[in-house]
């Protein structure tokens, strides 16, 4: 589960880079009931999604030529500069060097050695998401990667993550559960799954992170996705001890998972 009691290495923010901000705001508003807070004049079009008045993520225009529309996951760090330097020492790269975000904190956008893109957040006045693990909000994070063993080593060294491998049903391979350093397994925040490059066509064969959003009714959410111009890559399908889920694309191709978690 993901909570707003953020610790180092836990997901604390997400945002979407979209080719059409207004269209993205309409789509996610119709699917999850989010409202986009008007951006500040100095924010270059970047704005915050809210649900019931609480922040659930951000939205802004794509800023890199040729970049695909995608969700970015930010992990909490006490020192953005030190984390960025550690990424480079481990064979990764810095896409956006650490910078101040209007006094709310410091951020950096990074790439792991296999090509998976992620970001880090060093909080100041804003710690992160104001709601998580509730319908319409982030409840899990997931990395699809071409080398799960290397990913476990890299992120484990960077954030101190604890990992636990679990077999998938049938011949589905292995899924690695991720938990922040020092926390119990019930605080698992995400997973790592090894896939061949031909299964990662969405990112041109490179690894990628995506968010999982909790929903009350997966099938009803999928209907809203397709009605809004999005599409479904997989599902809805029931996963034992997990819930009913679907892998979705928004109208611009940004991927996310809708999950109605198992209760009880």
């Amino acid at each position: 589960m993901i909570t707003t009691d953020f610790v180092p290495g836990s997901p604390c923010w997400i945002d979407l880079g979209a080719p059409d901000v207004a269209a993205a705001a309409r789509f996610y508003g119709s699917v999850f009931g989010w409202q986009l807070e008007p951006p500040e004049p100095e924010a270059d079009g970047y704005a915050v999604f809210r649900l019931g008045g609480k922040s659930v993520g951000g939205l802004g225009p794509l800023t890199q030529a040729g970049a695909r529309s995608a969700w970015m996951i930010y992990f909490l760090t006490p020192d953005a500069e030190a984390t960025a330097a550690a990424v480079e020492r481990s064979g990764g790269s810095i896409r956006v060097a650490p910078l101040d975000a209007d006094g709310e904190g410091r951020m950096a956008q990074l790439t792991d050695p296999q090509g998976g893109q992620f970001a880090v957040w060093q909080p100041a006045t804003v710690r992160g998401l104001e709601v998580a693990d509730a319908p319409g909000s982030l409840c899990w994070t997931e990395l699809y990667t071409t080398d799960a063993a290397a990913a476990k080593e890299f992120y484990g060294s960077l954030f101190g993550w604890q990992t636990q491998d679990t077999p998938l049903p049938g011949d589905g391979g292995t899924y690695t559960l991720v938990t922040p350093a020092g926390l119990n397994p019930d605080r698992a925040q995400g997973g790592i799954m090894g896939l061949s490059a031909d299964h990662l066509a969405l990112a041109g064969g490179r690894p990628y992170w995506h968010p999982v959003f909790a929903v009350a009714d997966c099938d009803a959410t999928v209907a809203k996705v397709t009605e809004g111009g999005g599409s479904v890559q997989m599902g809805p399908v029931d996963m034992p001890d997990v819930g009913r889920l679907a892998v979705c694309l928004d109208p611009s191709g940004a991927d996310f998972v809708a999950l109605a978690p198992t209760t009880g």
Side-chain angles (χ1 to χ4, degrees):
M1 63 183 297
I2 293 176
T3 76
T4 55
D5 179 22
F6 304 116
V7 298
S10 66
C12 62
W13 189 254
I14 53 171
D15 59 25
L16 174 67
D20 186 331
V21 169
R26 288 193 298 271
F27 173 80
Y28 287 97
S30 68
V31 172
F32 296 122
W34 295 349
Q35 293 185 319
L36 191 66
E37 188 175 79
E40 298 292 335
E42 66 274 12
D44 295 325
Y46 188 91
V48 173
F49 277 124
R50 294 191 179 274
L51 180 65
K54 296 183 177 181
S55 62
V56 290
L59 172 65
L62 285 173
T63 56
Q64 293 179 320
R68 79 177 183 97
S69 182
W71 283 95
M72 183 67 61
I73 298 173
Y74 292 69
F75 300 100
L76 189 141
T77 178
D79 189 328
E81 275 79 9
T83 301
V87 167
E88 284 197 310
R89 288 196 302 271
S90 298
S93 60
I94 299 172
R95 297 192 326 279
V96 177
L99 55 83
D100 182 73
D102 298 324
E104 296 177 346
R106 291 183 65 74
M107 60 81 70
Q109 293 192 359
L110 310 163
T111 303
D112 70 28
Q114 285 70 52
Q117 298 183 352
F118 66 103
V120 293
W121 178 253
Q122 177 186 335
T125 62
V126 173
R127 191 139 181 93
L129 301 169
E130 293 176 340
V131 61
D133 206 44
S137 68
L138 184 70
C139 69
W140 193 252
T141 61
E142 205 163 55
L143 172 66
Y144 289 168
T145 180
T146 49
D147 192 335
K152 287 192 290 183
E153 182 177 353
F154 170 78
Y155 289 102
S157 173
L158 189 67
F159 294 124
W161 287 351
Q162 305 167 114
T163 59
Q164 178 183 349
D165 291 341
T166 183
L168 291 169
D171 296 322
T174 299
Y175 192 84
T176 299
L177 298 172
V178 172
T179 305
L183 296 185
N184 294 326
D186 63 357
R187 283 290 303 273
Q189 65 189 27
I192 296 172
M193 186 170 179
L195 294 169
S196 60
D198 60 328
H199 284 89
L200 304 175
L202 197 62
R206 297 185 304 277
Y208 60 91
W209 285 94
H210 60 212
V212 179
F213 298 116
V215 298
D217 185 324
C218 183
D219 294 75
T221 300
V222 164
K224 292 177 182 177
V225 167
T226 56
E227 288 168 4
S231 59
V232 179
Q233 286 192 305
M234 184 191 80
V237 62
D238 293 312
M239 298 294 289
D241 302 319
V242 175
R244 189 164 176 81
L245 63 82
V247 182
C248 304
L249 299 178
D250 73 15
S252 296
D255 61 302
F256 63 91
V257 174
L259 168 65
T262 297
T263 58

